[in-house]
């Protein structure tokens, strides 16, 4: 899986030894049982139908509406950061309730997160507006096709239920009832670096989403000093405040993870008098 390098002209692969930005590595040591999710990811990433959806969902979002990237690269980054966020929380001993309340195993928690992250935006192929609701029937069809590869019928239904719940709640119209869903909600907001706004910006888009996204240089997820997770956001302009205070703050609110994630945004630009905002903490 690729990850954004923050370059305004590309969203391509860049090797980064920094643990806080590394893409999900199935061979690494994780704080959760990863055998099943690694099998699922191998299947999902090579599935031609899913790949077609991830490309097609950018047409309404970017080509027709002029929004930031919601296609393949966005999905890869959200999935990587969701699994990274989940791993950090598990390392801190945080308990998740979605899979367990369905009578599922701990190894199903990352499966729910990985699948929800992959399919959360496919409703864009219908329309950008209310896309989270359109994602539900489309994702359900895909889940019905490949979940039986790993689960019996009853278990597949329960996994499907948790994935669909997390998909529905990635936008702020619905309130997450599980921490797995909260991870998806937050991870969706963490793809905010300036590379995400490249296409609409090059086409002349100058809306607040595009301008504020271009102000975000880097997003890092690390172990916090007090909270289990610290998200450090580096900005080169005060315009990035919109991404942090208006968008990510809304994602964090009601996520069931508010007290477990600390967000710090730092404006690093020191010339031209653009130090209107030097530091924000959520």
């Amino acid at each position: 899986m690729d990850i954004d390098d923050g370059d305004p002209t590309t969203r391509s692969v860049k090797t980064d030894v920094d643990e806080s930005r590394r893409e999900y590595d199935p061979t690494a040591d994780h704080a959760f049982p990863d055998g099943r999710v690694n099998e699922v990811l191998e299947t999902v990433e090579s599935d031609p139908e899913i790949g077609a959806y991830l490309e097609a969902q950018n047409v309404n979002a970017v080509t027709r509406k002029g929004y930031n990237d919601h296609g393949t690269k966005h999905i890869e980054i959200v999935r990587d950061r969701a699994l990274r966020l989940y791993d950090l929380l598990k390392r801190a001993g945080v308990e998740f309730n979605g899979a367990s309340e369905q009578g599922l195993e701990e190894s199903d928690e990352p499966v729910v997160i990985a699948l929800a992250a992959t399919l959360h935006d496919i409703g864009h192929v219908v329309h950008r507006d209310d896309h989270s609701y359109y994602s539900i029937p489309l994702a359900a069809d895909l889940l019905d096709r490949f979940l039986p590869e790993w689960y019996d019928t009853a278990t597949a239904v329960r996994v499907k239920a948790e994935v669909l719940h997390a998909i529905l709640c990635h936008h702020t119209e619905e309130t997450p009832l599980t921490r797995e869903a909260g991870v998806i909600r937050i991870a969706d907001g963490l793809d905010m670096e300036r590379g995400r706004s490249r296409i609409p910006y090059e086409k002349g888009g100058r809306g607040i989403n595009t301008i504020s996204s271009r102000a975000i240089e880097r997003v890092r997820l690390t172990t916090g000093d007090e909270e289990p997770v610290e998200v450090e956001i580096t900005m080169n302009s005060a315009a990035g405040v919109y991404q942090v205070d208006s968008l990510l703050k809304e994602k964090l609110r009601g996520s069931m993870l508010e007290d477990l994630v600390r967000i710090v945004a730092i404006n690093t630009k020191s010339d031209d008098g653009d130090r209107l905002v030097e530091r924000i903490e959520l």
Side-chain angles (χ1 to χ4, degrees), residues 4-181:
D4 186 12
D5 62 5
D7 190 313
T9 62
T10 184
R11 283 166 72 87
S12 60
V13 181
K14 179 176 180 180
T15 301
D16 192 332
V17 297
D18 187 347
E19 177 72 17
S20 66
R21 296 186 71 226
R22 191 174 63 190
E23 64 189 47
Y24 176 74
D25 181 0
T27 66
D29 291 329
H30 298 113
F32 55 86
D34 60 8
R36 183 169 293 162
V37 70
N38 290 341
E39 291 181 11
V40 171
L41 283 172
E42 185 175 357
T43 297
V44 165
E45 291 175 337
S46 62
D47 188 272
E49 186 178 9
I50 292 177
Y53 269 116
L54 301 190
E55 292 181 5
Q57 68 194 35
N58 236 6
V59 174
N60 279 331
V62 177
T63 305
R64 295 171 180 164
K65 296 283 285 184
Y67 282 92
N68 289 347
D69 174 33
H70 283 79
T72 303
K73 182 56 58 180
H74 169 64
I75 295 304
E76 290 173 350
I77 293 172
V78 170
R79 187 168 59 212
D80 282 337
R81 290 182 176 168
L83 290 170
R84 172 66 175 162
L85 176 58
Y86 171 68
D87 193 27
L88 289 169
L89 291 167
K90 293 291 284 189
R91 289 182 190 280
V94 175
E95 295 186 1
F96 282 71
N97 65 306
S100 63
E101 290 172 354
Q102 286 283 8
L104 300 170
E105 300 175 1
E106 183 184 9
S107 60
D108 298 318
E109 294 172 359
V111 171
V112 168
I113 289 170
L115 289 176
T118 302
L119 303 175
H120 76 278
D121 269 346
I122 64 172
H124 276 92
V125 300
V126 180
H127 204 290
R128 160 66 187 176
D129 300 340
D130 297 324
H131 70 273
S132 57
Y133 300 99
Y134 299 129
S135 292
I136 296 301
L138 297 174
D141 286 347
L142 292 169
L143 294 169
D144 285 342
R145 175 164 62 80
F146 57 75
L147 281 180
E149 182 175 341
W150 301 283
Y151 300 104
D152 60 34
T153 300
T155 308
V157 167
R158 294 177 182 275
V159 172
K160 174 183 172 183
E162 293 307 304
V163 173
L164 296 181
H165 174 72
I167 289 173
L168 184 66
C169 296
H170 83 270
H171 259 211
T172 54
E173 290 87 351
E174 304 293 344
T175 302
L177 302 178
T178 71
R179 281 181 168 162
E180 288 92 332

